[in-house]
Amino acid sequence: MVRGATTGLRGWLAAIAVSLVTAASPAAAQQRTLVTLYSAVETDQLSVLKQAIETDMPDIEVRWVRDSTGVITARVLAERATPRADMILGLAATSLLLFAEQDLLEPYRPAGADQLKPAFQDRSPAYRWTGMDAYVAAICFNRDEARKVGAPVINRWSDLLHPSLRQRIVMPHPASSGTGFLLVSGWIQMMGEEAAWRFMEQLHESIALYTHSGSAPCVQAGRGERVVGLSFDMRGARERTNGAPIDVIVPEDGAGWEMEAFALMRNRPPAQAAAARRIADWAASKRANELYAQFYAVVAHRDVANKPANYPPFAEARMLRSDFSWMAQNRDRILSEWSRRFDQRLPAPR
């Protein structure tokens, strides 16, 4: 009798325990800290990063707000009085330098930052941003379509001006795409302003379309919709690996490049600010850099190397000595001049 009562009591207590755990689960889920991250990384990377962050920090929930570099930059500036992002993760360093100049970023040096290559570390005393990876301007050259129109092999930027390529080149719009801006700023730094604007005036006659996306030109060239797509290194390598009949070329006279970086926004609620600092520590880690290396050949961490299939030869050696501070300080001026010259002479970017 006692033994049966004891067994019954144990069963009752076990049932109570199960019900308490079941009831507690939604509450536990509700206690996750929601962190809003603004980003311009390619869409296929977002789910990979979200899963990794939430696996390593299960009490944090990531909410992405993703758009092109120009749109995210404009959005952050428009929201400066009432910021909605808790953190920027994956945006051009030149945009973050612009935000830092306007005191929109929280000073924070993440744990492990000393393991990153010097170029990927903020050298200012306040330390407001940290680099993740780099992307290099590249040309996606469709061999099959080039033969049809008699286009020469491209070795230098000036080869894009060949008459056979008239209306057969597609390029990202520099106001909306970080890749477009690095192309334009790279030409200016390499050629000098006067010569670069002359080059762009001539190149404009061969442009069929300015796209909203930095990867779209390479995709279009890979499909045979254009002969040439001006894009970036890893998109070209990926399209060629997927079977596109393209050569991926980093011109021998040099190429502009940018880095994606992360930073914390100022004046966030304490819970979000604390969670964002933990994400920043994670984003500087070797584990995070190994994830970046799935998508980029050049990453910040000293001990992470990547040699992707079909990556353009000599890409890293041909990267210009980009002056990111100059790029950030002159961004608005360059974009205004570019728009004045070209925006009214082609359909709006799409």
Side-chain angles (χ1 to χ4, degrees), residues 34 72 256 314:
L34 179 64
I72 291 294
F314 314 116

Side-chain angles (χ1 to χ4, degrees), residues 301-322:
H301 203 283
R302 292 170 176 163
D303 297 329
V304 178
N306 182 27
K307 293 183 179 179
N310 295 305
Y311 190 71
F314 314 116
E316 194 161 358
R318 291 177 177 176
M319 291 164 62
L320 297 173
R321 289 190 173 183
S322 292

Side-chain angles (χ1 to χ4, degrees), residues 149-213:
V149 301
V153 174
I154 295 174
N155 294 307
R156 303 175 67 84
W157 291 110
S158 58
D159 294 334
L160 294 173
L161 306 181
H162 193 274
S164 64
L165 294 175
R166 287 288 176 93
Q167 296 296 299
R168 293 189 170 103
I169 299 175
V170 62
M171 162 179 174
H173 194 294
S176 61
S177 165
T179 305
F181 180 67
L182 80 85
L183 281 159
V184 172
S185 62
W187 293 328
I188 292 174
Q189 291 182 83
M190 180 174 60
M191 302 176 187
E193 293 233 9
E194 186 176 341
W197 288 117
R198 279 201 308 271
F199 167 77
M200 285 183 270
E201 287 283 355
Q202 294 174 276
L203 179 65
H204 182 76
E205 300 303 320
S206 294
I207 299 292
L209 179 69
Y210 293 101
T211 65
H212 183 62
S213 161

